Every structure is written in C-alpha cells, then in structure tokens.
PDB file of all heavy atoms in Angstrom:
ATOM      1  N   ASP C   9       0.831  -1.191   0.006  1.00 97.00           N
ATOM      2  CA  ASP C   9       0.021  -0.040  -0.017  1.00 97.00           C
ATOM      3  C   ASP C   9       0.838   1.208  -0.039  1.00 97.00           C
ATOM      4  O   ASP C   9       0.473   2.272  -0.593  1.00 97.00           O
ATOM      5  CB  ASP C   9      -0.913   0.042   1.202  1.00 97.00           C
ATOM      6  CG  ASP C   9      -2.047  -1.049   1.160  1.00 97.00           C
ATOM      7  OD1 ASP C   9      -2.276  -1.483  -0.017  1.00 97.00           O
ATOM      8  OD2 ASP C   9      -2.625  -1.296   2.155  1.00 97.00           O
ATOM      9  N   SER C  10       1.973   1.155   0.651  1.00 97.00           N
ATOM     10  CA  SER C  10       2.843   2.358   0.810  1.00 97.00           C
ATOM     11  C   SER C  10       3.471   2.822  -0.507  1.00 97.00           C
ATOM     12  O   SER C  10       3.945   3.958  -0.653  1.00 97.00           O
ATOM     13  CB  SER C  10       3.971   2.065   1.810  1.00 97.00           C
ATOM     14  OG  SER C  10       4.775   0.976   1.424  1.00 97.00           O
ATOM     15  N   VAL C  11       3.470   1.964  -1.537  1.00 98.00           N
ATOM     16  CA  VAL C  11       4.121   2.293  -2.847  1.00 98.00           C
ATOM     17  C   VAL C  11       3.120   2.340  -3.986  1.00 98.00           C
ATOM     18  O   VAL C  11       3.556   2.701  -5.068  1.00 98.00           O
ATOM     19  CB  VAL C  11       5.335   1.386  -3.125  1.00 98.00           C
ATOM     20  CG1 VAL C  11       6.267   1.318  -1.973  1.00 98.00           C
ATOM     21  CG2 VAL C  11       4.837   0.024  -3.510  1.00 98.00           C
ATOM     22  N   LYS C  12       1.853   1.989  -3.763  1.00 98.00           N
ATOM     23  CA  LYS C  12       0.941   1.920  -4.871  1.00 98.00           C
ATOM     24  C   LYS C  12       0.815   3.322  -5.490  1.00 98.00           C
ATOM     25  O   LYS C  12       0.731   4.322  -4.797  1.00 98.00           O
ATOM     26  CB  LYS C  12      -0.428   1.497  -4.330  1.00 98.00           C
ATOM     27  CG  LYS C  12      -0.602   0.017  -4.198  1.00 98.00           C
ATOM     28  CD  LYS C  12      -2.032  -0.355  -3.713  1.00 98.00           C
ATOM     29  CE  LYS C  12      -2.133  -1.896  -3.569  1.00 98.00           C
ATOM     30  NZ  LYS C  12      -3.428  -2.256  -2.966  1.00 98.00           N
ATOM     31  N   GLY C  13       0.804   3.341  -6.810  1.00 98.00           N
ATOM     32  CA  GLY C  13       0.651   4.595  -7.504  1.00 98.00           C
ATOM     33  C   GLY C  13       1.950   5.289  -7.785  1.00 98.00           C
ATOM     34  O   GLY C  13       2.034   6.248  -8.570  1.00 98.00           O
ATOM     35  N   ARG C  14       3.048   4.870  -7.035  1.00 98.00           N
ATOM     36  CA  ARG C  14       4.311   5.452  -7.236  1.00 98.00           C
ATOM     37  C   ARG C  14       5.343   4.524  -7.866  1.00 98.00           C
ATOM     38  O   ARG C  14       6.258   4.953  -8.620  1.00 98.00           O
ATOM     39  CB  ARG C  14       4.868   5.982  -5.879  1.00 98.00           C
ATOM     40  CG  ARG C  14       3.992   6.958  -5.141  1.00 98.00           C
ATOM     41  CD  ARG C  14       4.629   7.548  -3.924  1.00 98.00           C
ATOM     42  NE  ARG C  14       4.877   6.519  -2.877  1.00 98.00           N
ATOM     43  CZ  ARG C  14       6.139   6.222  -2.483  1.00 98.00           C
ATOM     44  NH1 ARG C  14       7.166   6.879  -2.859  1.00 98.00           N
ATOM     45  NH2 ARG C  14       6.293   5.346  -1.519  1.00 98.00           N
ATOM     46  N   PHE C  15       5.218   3.230  -7.497  1.00 98.00           N
ATOM     47  CA  PHE C  15       6.207   2.282  -8.056  1.00 98.00           C
ATOM     48  C   PHE C  15       5.538   1.390  -9.138  1.00 98.00           C
ATOM     49  O   PHE C  15       4.308   1.062  -8.973  1.00 98.00           O
ATOM     50  CB  PHE C  15       6.714   1.398  -6.833  1.00 98.00           C
ATOM     51  CG  PHE C  15       7.590   2.030  -5.870  1.00 98.00           C
ATOM     52  CD1 PHE C  15       7.793   3.430  -5.856  1.00 98.00           C
ATOM     53  CD2 PHE C  15       8.264   1.315  -4.950  1.00 98.00           C
ATOM     54  CE1 PHE C  15       8.651   4.042  -4.901  1.00 98.00           C
ATOM     55  CE2 PHE C  15       9.120   1.906  -3.985  1.00 98.00           C
ATOM     56  CZ  PHE C  15       9.329   3.248  -3.960  1.00 98.00           C
ATOM     57  N   THR C  16       6.322   0.913 -10.007  1.00 98.00           N
ATOM     58  CA  THR C  16       5.887  -0.030 -11.030  1.00 98.00           C
ATOM     59  C   THR C  16       6.882  -1.130 -11.262  1.00 98.00           C
ATOM     60  O   THR C  16       8.014  -0.858 -11.499  1.00 98.00           O
ATOM     61  CB  THR C  16       5.595   0.672 -12.387  1.00 98.00           C
ATOM     62  OG1 THR C  16       4.699   1.811 -12.219  1.00 98.00           O
ATOM     63  CG2 THR C  16       5.029  -0.252 -13.444  1.00 98.00           C
ATOM     64  N   ILE C  17       6.430  -2.333 -11.088  1.00 98.00           N
ATOM     65  CA  ILE C  17       7.258  -3.544 -11.384  1.00 98.00           C
ATOM     66  C   ILE C  17       6.911  -4.002 -12.752  1.00 98.00           C
ATOM     67  O   ILE C  17       5.778  -4.060 -13.194  1.00 98.00           O
ATOM     68  CB  ILE C  17       7.015  -4.582 -10.322  1.00 98.00           C
ATOM     69  CG1 ILE C  17       8.040  -5.731 -10.459  1.00 98.00           C
ATOM     70  CG2 ILE C  17       5.623  -5.164 -10.314  1.00 98.00           C
ATOM     71  CD1 ILE C  17       8.045  -6.705  -9.315  1.00 98.00           C
ATOM     72  N   SER C  18       8.006  -4.430 -13.445  1.00 97.00           N
ATOM     73  CA  SER C  18       7.813  -5.042 -14.726  1.00 97.00           C
ATOM     74  C   SER C  18       8.957  -6.061 -14.993  1.00 97.00           C
ATOM     75  O   SER C  18       9.918  -6.175 -14.209  1.00 97.00           O
ATOM     76  CB  SER C  18       7.866  -3.968 -15.846  1.00 97.00           C
ATOM     77  OG  SER C  18       9.194  -3.269 -15.860  1.00 97.00           O
ATOM     78  N   ARG C  19       8.788  -6.840 -16.040  1.00 94.00           N
ATOM     79  CA  ARG C  19       9.833  -7.856 -16.245  1.00 94.00           C
ATOM     80  C   ARG C  19      10.002  -7.997 -17.804  1.00 94.00           C
ATOM     81  O   ARG C  19       9.007  -7.808 -18.540  1.00 94.00           O
ATOM     82  CB  ARG C  19       9.522  -9.155 -15.626  1.00 94.00           C
ATOM     83  CG  ARG C  19       8.304  -9.822 -16.164  1.00 94.00           C
ATOM     84  CD  ARG C  19       7.918 -11.053 -15.231  1.00 94.00           C
ATOM     85  NE  ARG C  19       8.921 -12.089 -15.204  1.00 94.00           N
ATOM     86  CZ  ARG C  19       9.028 -13.087 -14.388  1.00 94.00           C
ATOM     87  NH1 ARG C  19       8.057 -13.174 -13.426  1.00 94.00           N
ATOM     88  NH2 ARG C  19      10.018 -13.973 -14.451  1.00 94.00           N
ATOM     89  N   ASP C  20      11.189  -8.411 -18.237  1.00 93.00           N
ATOM     90  CA  ASP C  20      11.551  -8.719 -19.570  1.00 93.00           C
ATOM     91  C   ASP C  20      12.087 -10.182 -19.591  1.00 93.00           C
ATOM     92  O   ASP C  20      13.290 -10.265 -19.206  1.00 93.00           O
ATOM     93  CB  ASP C  20      12.484  -7.723 -20.103  1.00 93.00           C
ATOM     94  CG  ASP C  20      12.748  -7.958 -21.646  1.00 93.00           C
ATOM     95  OD1 ASP C  20      12.543  -9.088 -22.088  1.00 93.00           O
ATOM     96  OD2 ASP C  20      13.242  -7.038 -22.298  1.00 93.00           O
ATOM     97  N   ASN C  21      11.269 -11.102 -19.825  1.00 89.00           N
ATOM     98  CA  ASN C  21      11.730 -12.536 -19.707  1.00 89.00           C
ATOM     99  C   ASN C  21      12.821 -12.831 -20.772  1.00 89.00           C
ATOM    100  O   ASN C  21      13.656 -13.737 -20.507  1.00 89.00           O
ATOM    101  CB  ASN C  21      10.569 -13.477 -19.863  1.00 89.00           C
ATOM    102  CG  ASN C  21       9.707 -13.458 -18.639  1.00 89.00           C
ATOM    103  OD1 ASN C  21      10.098 -13.073 -17.526  1.00 89.00           O
ATOM    104  ND2 ASN C  21       8.461 -13.896 -18.725  1.00 89.00           N
ATOM    105  N   ALA C  22      12.847 -12.156 -21.807  1.00 90.00           N
ATOM    106  CA  ALA C  22      13.838 -12.408 -22.905  1.00 90.00           C
ATOM    107  C   ALA C  22      15.240 -11.979 -22.384  1.00 90.00           C
ATOM    108  O   ALA C  22      16.258 -12.510 -22.772  1.00 90.00           O
ATOM    109  CB  ALA C  22      13.487 -11.615 -24.158  1.00 90.00           C
ATOM    110  N   LYS C  23      15.234 -11.027 -21.443  1.00 91.00           N
ATOM    111  CA  LYS C  23      16.450 -10.564 -20.860  1.00 91.00           C
ATOM    112  C   LYS C  23      16.682 -11.088 -19.450  1.00 91.00           C
ATOM    113  O   LYS C  23      17.675 -10.720 -18.778  1.00 91.00           O
ATOM    114  CB  LYS C  23      16.487  -8.998 -20.851  1.00 91.00           C
ATOM    115  CG  LYS C  23      16.486  -8.382 -22.188  1.00 91.00           C
ATOM    116  CD  LYS C  23      16.519  -6.890 -22.079  1.00 91.00           C
ATOM    117  CE  LYS C  23      16.587  -6.238 -23.433  1.00 91.00           C
ATOM    118  NZ  LYS C  23      16.619  -4.765 -23.400  1.00 91.00           N
ATOM    119  N   ASN C  24      15.753 -11.874 -18.942  1.00 91.00           N
ATOM    120  CA  ASN C  24      15.825 -12.402 -17.551  1.00 91.00           C
ATOM    121  C   ASN C  24      16.060 -11.314 -16.558  1.00 91.00           C
ATOM    122  O   ASN C  24      16.930 -11.364 -15.662  1.00 91.00           O
ATOM    123  CB  ASN C  24      16.972 -13.437 -17.407  1.00 91.00           C
ATOM    124  CG  ASN C  24      16.601 -14.729 -18.084  1.00 91.00           C
ATOM    125  OD1 ASN C  24      15.467 -15.079 -18.213  1.00 91.00           O
ATOM    126  ND2 ASN C  24      17.600 -15.403 -18.653  1.00 91.00           N
ATOM    127  N   THR C  25      15.301 -10.202 -16.749  1.00 94.00           N
ATOM    128  CA  THR C  25      15.475  -9.040 -15.854  1.00 94.00           C
ATOM    129  C   THR C  25      14.089  -8.524 -15.432  1.00 94.00           C
ATOM    130  O   THR C  25      13.105  -8.553 -16.198  1.00 94.00           O
ATOM    131  CB  THR C  25      16.148  -7.858 -16.714  1.00 94.00           C
ATOM    132  OG1 THR C  25      17.460  -8.402 -17.194  1.00 94.00           O
ATOM    133  CG2 THR C  25      16.358  -6.635 -15.877  1.00 94.00           C
ATOM    134  N   VAL C  26      14.100  -8.064 -14.194  1.00 96.00           N
ATOM    135  CA  VAL C  26      12.890  -7.424 -13.636  1.00 96.00           C
ATOM    136  C   VAL C  26      13.339  -6.099 -13.101  1.00 96.00           C
ATOM    137  O   VAL C  26      14.434  -5.829 -12.786  1.00 96.00           O
ATOM    138  CB  VAL C  26      12.379  -8.312 -12.436  1.00 96.00           C
ATOM    139  CG1 VAL C  26      13.335  -8.316 -11.344  1.00 96.00           C
ATOM    140  CG2 VAL C  26      11.100  -7.714 -11.975  1.00 96.00           C
ATOM    141  N   TYR C  27      12.336  -5.161 -13.291  1.00 98.00           N
ATOM    142  CA  TYR C  27      12.582  -3.750 -12.982  1.00 98.00           C
ATOM    143  C   TYR C  27      11.682  -3.274 -11.896  1.00 98.00           C
ATOM    144  O   TYR C  27      10.489  -3.746 -11.732  1.00 98.00           O
ATOM    145  CB  TYR C  27      12.387  -2.926 -14.272  1.00 98.00           C
ATOM    146  CG  TYR C  27      13.240  -3.378 -15.444  1.00 98.00           C
ATOM    147  CD1 TYR C  27      12.628  -4.225 -16.389  1.00 98.00           C
ATOM    148  CD2 TYR C  27      14.556  -2.969 -15.581  1.00 98.00           C
ATOM    149  CE1 TYR C  27      13.351  -4.637 -17.487  1.00 98.00           C
ATOM    150  CE2 TYR C  27      15.211  -3.381 -16.757  1.00 98.00           C
ATOM    151  CZ  TYR C  27      14.661  -4.245 -17.619  1.00 98.00           C
ATOM    152  OH  TYR C  27      15.411  -4.692 -18.678  1.00 98.00           O
ATOM    153  N   LEU C  28      12.124  -2.179 -11.235  1.00 98.00           N
ATOM    154  CA  LEU C  28      11.205  -1.482 -10.327  1.00 98.00           C
ATOM    155  C   LEU C  28      11.441  -0.004 -10.548  1.00 98.00           C
ATOM    156  O   LEU C  28      12.414   0.545 -10.262  1.00 98.00           O
ATOM    157  CB  LEU C  28      11.574  -1.773  -8.843  1.00 98.00           C
ATOM    158  CG  LEU C  28      10.629  -1.198  -7.772  1.00 98.00           C
ATOM    159  CD1 LEU C  28       9.242  -1.848  -7.922  1.00 98.00           C
ATOM    160  CD2 LEU C  28      11.133  -1.370  -6.399  1.00 98.00           C
ATOM    161  N   GLN C  29      10.385   0.541 -11.192  1.00 98.00           N
ATOM    162  CA  GLN C  29      10.410   2.015 -11.456  1.00 98.00           C
ATOM    163  C   GLN C  29       9.869   2.663 -10.275  1.00 98.00           C
ATOM    164  O   GLN C  29       8.711   2.377  -9.825  1.00 98.00           O
ATOM    165  CB  GLN C  29       9.595   2.364 -12.676  1.00 98.00           C
ATOM    166  CG  GLN C  29       9.536   3.837 -13.017  1.00 98.00           C
ATOM    167  CD  GLN C  29      10.866   4.439 -13.364  1.00 98.00           C
ATOM    168  OE1 GLN C  29      11.636   3.873 -14.200  1.00 98.00           O
ATOM    169  NE2 GLN C  29      11.164   5.565 -12.813  1.00 98.00           N
ATOM    170  N   MET C  30      10.630   3.566  -9.690  1.00 98.00           N
ATOM    171  CA  MET C  30      10.204   4.209  -8.395  1.00 98.00           C
ATOM    172  C   MET C  30      10.166   5.770  -8.633  1.00 98.00           C
ATOM    173  O   MET C  30      11.157   6.374  -8.943  1.00 98.00           O
ATOM    174  CB  MET C  30      11.251   3.963  -7.282  1.00 98.00           C
ATOM    175  CG  MET C  30      11.436   2.511  -7.074  1.00 98.00           C
ATOM    176  SD  MET C  30      12.464   2.144  -5.600  1.00 98.00           S
ATOM    177  CE  MET C  30      13.951   2.849  -6.071  1.00 98.00           C
ATOM    178  N   ASN C  31       8.917   6.223  -8.574  1.00 98.00           N
ATOM    179  CA  ASN C  31       8.654   7.676  -8.822  1.00 98.00           C
ATOM    180  C   ASN C  31       8.100   8.342  -7.516  1.00 98.00           C
ATOM    181  O   ASN C  31       7.769   7.618  -6.568  1.00 98.00           O
ATOM    182  CB  ASN C  31       7.632   7.855  -9.856  1.00 98.00           C
ATOM    183  CG  ASN C  31       8.056   7.355 -11.252  1.00 98.00           C
ATOM    184  OD1 ASN C  31       9.239   7.316 -11.590  1.00 98.00           O
ATOM    185  ND2 ASN C  31       7.088   6.916 -11.981  1.00 98.00           N
ATOM    186  N   SER C  32       8.231   9.669  -7.415  1.00 98.00           N
ATOM    187  CA  SER C  32       7.794  10.391  -6.302  1.00 98.00           C
ATOM    188  C   SER C  32       8.340   9.827  -5.011  1.00 98.00           C
ATOM    189  O   SER C  32       7.635   9.585  -4.037  1.00 98.00           O
ATOM    190  CB  SER C  32       6.193  10.377  -6.234  1.00 98.00           C
ATOM    191  OG  SER C  32       5.656  10.968  -7.404  1.00 98.00           O
ATOM    192  N   LEU C  33       9.581   9.647  -4.979  1.00 98.00           N
ATOM    193  CA  LEU C  33      10.273   8.992  -3.878  1.00 98.00           C
ATOM    194  C   LEU C  33      10.222   9.886  -2.617  1.00 98.00           C
ATOM    195  O   LEU C  33      10.197  11.098  -2.729  1.00 98.00           O
ATOM    196  CB  LEU C  33      11.722   8.676  -4.217  1.00 98.00           C
ATOM    197  CG  LEU C  33      11.912   7.426  -5.070  1.00 98.00           C
ATOM    198  CD1 LEU C  33      13.212   7.454  -5.718  1.00 98.00           C
ATOM    199  CD2 LEU C  33      11.698   6.169  -4.248  1.00 98.00           C
ATOM    200  N   LYS C  34      10.079   9.155  -1.486  1.00 98.00           N
ATOM    201  CA  LYS C  34       9.927   9.846  -0.168  1.00 98.00           C
ATOM    202  C   LYS C  34      11.066   9.385   0.705  1.00 98.00           C
ATOM    203  O   LYS C  34      11.642   8.296   0.491  1.00 98.00           O
ATOM    204  CB  LYS C  34       8.627   9.418   0.491  1.00 98.00           C
ATOM    205  CG  LYS C  34       7.390   9.714  -0.367  1.00 98.00           C
ATOM    206  CD  LYS C  34       6.143   9.166   0.338  1.00 98.00           C
ATOM    207  CE  LYS C  34       4.875   9.484  -0.464  1.00 98.00           C
ATOM    208  NZ  LYS C  34       3.643   8.947   0.208  1.00 98.00           N
ATOM    209  N   PRO C  35      11.444  10.214   1.722  1.00 98.00           N
ATOM    210  CA  PRO C  35      12.536   9.780   2.597  1.00 98.00           C
ATOM    211  C   PRO C  35      12.221   8.403   3.265  1.00 98.00           C
ATOM    212  O   PRO C  35      13.203   7.643   3.479  1.00 98.00           O
ATOM    213  CB  PRO C  35      12.575  10.879   3.634  1.00 98.00           C
ATOM    214  CG  PRO C  35      12.115  12.048   2.970  1.00 98.00           C
ATOM    215  CD  PRO C  35      11.070  11.546   1.928  1.00 98.00           C
ATOM    216  N   GLU C  36      10.998   8.085   3.500  1.00 97.00           N
ATOM    217  CA  GLU C  36      10.658   6.797   4.077  1.00 97.00           C
ATOM    218  C   GLU C  36      10.862   5.555   3.133  1.00 97.00           C
ATOM    219  O   GLU C  36      10.786   4.405   3.592  1.00 97.00           O
ATOM    220  CB  GLU C  36       9.267   6.795   4.690  1.00 97.00           C
ATOM    221  CG  GLU C  36       8.208   7.226   3.700  1.00 97.00           C
ATOM    222  CD  GLU C  36       7.810   8.716   3.854  1.00 97.00           C
ATOM    223  OE1 GLU C  36       8.832   9.499   4.056  1.00 97.00           O
ATOM    224  OE2 GLU C  36       6.678   9.013   3.838  1.00 97.00           O
ATOM    225  N   ASP C  37      11.222   5.826   1.906  1.00 98.00           N
ATOM    226  CA  ASP C  37      11.529   4.798   0.903  1.00 98.00           C
ATOM    227  C   ASP C  37      13.019   4.411   1.072  1.00 98.00           C
ATOM    228  O   ASP C  37      13.445   3.443   0.419  1.00 98.00           O
ATOM    229  CB  ASP C  37      11.292   5.216  -0.511  1.00 98.00           C
ATOM    230  CG  ASP C  37       9.782   5.437  -0.743  1.00 98.00           C
ATOM    231  OD1 ASP C  37       8.961   4.677  -0.289  1.00 98.00           O
ATOM    232  OD2 ASP C  37       9.455   6.465  -1.470  1.00 98.00           O
TER     233      ASP C  37
END
C-alpha cells in the first residue's frame, strides 16, 4: 500500500530481468 501509484514492477523474460520504477520517492523509501 505504501508504494501503490508510485512504483511499477515489470519484467523482460527475454532478458531475464525485472525492473522497479520508483517515482515520487519519499525519505521513508
């Protein structure tokens, strides 16, 4: 709940890579 709307997880299976896009970062992150 603390990151909903700010963080986005995605993956590229062809590259065996997962990403975490973090926007509107706060000190508590």
Side-chain angles (χ1 to χ4, degrees):
D9 288 343
S10 59
V11 307
K12 276 181 184 176
R14 300 188 299 121
F15 291 11
T16 303
I17 188 171
S18 61
R19 66 189 297 167
D20 184 339
N21 287 340
K23 297 181 178 180
N24 288 328
T25 301
V26 65
Y27 305 96
L28 185 68
Q29 178 66 44
M30 305 187 296
N31 299 328
S32 302
L33 282 161
K34 305 175 180 180
E36 50 263 44
D37 293 319

